[in-house]
Amino acid sequence: MIHNGCAIVLWPVSFVFPNMLRACNDVKYPMRIAIFSMVVFRIGFSYILGVRFGMGALGVWYAMLLDWVFRSICFVGRYLHGDWKRAISR
């Protein structure tokens, strides 16, 4: 239930915005954020929450939600700040 509720709000923002940025020729930023968040949140926090804290699969789901939140913040911030517009003019 937690995953489904968060997926409705967070998944579209965290995965549609980077595609919009890539389409506007802003490729490096989404790739860097994707690699960073995958390593830190999906892998790192999955290990910490799932193994170290003993949460198991639930800890992995929470780590994935953290990844979505981080990506959403980064990509919406990039869009609102307007840095992606400079990539179009290059």
Side-chain angles (χ1 to χ4, degrees):
M1 297 291 283
I2 293 169
H3 172 266
N4 292 342
C6 292
I8 292 170
V9 177
L10 294 175
W11 191 90
V13 175
S14 61
F15 288 95
V16 172
F17 266 83
N19 289 330
M20 181 274 305
L21 293 172
R22 286 185 201 106
C24 294
N25 203 26
D26 189 9
V27 178
K28 290 181 182 179
Y29 182 80
M31 181 58 69
R32 289 179 182 145
I33 294 298
I35 291 170
F36 176 80
S37 68
M38 182 66 69
V39 170
V40 171
F41 294 104
R42 294 231 180 166
I43 296 172
F45 274 92
S46 289
Y47 178 74
I48 291 169
L49 296 175
V51 177
R52 291 290 182 187
F53 288 172
M55 296 175 73
L58 192 59
V60 175
W61 285 109
Y62 287 141
M64 187 174 64
L65 294 177
L66 287 173
D67 176 50
W68 289 353
V69 168
F70 177 76
R71 287 178 187 230
S72 298
I73 291 169
C74 289
F75 295 137
V76 169
R78 178 82 165 183
Y79 176 77
L80 293 176
H81 193 262
D83 289 340
W84 58 277
K85 293 177 186 177
R86 285 184 276 176
I88 294 174
S89 63
R90 289 185 206 158

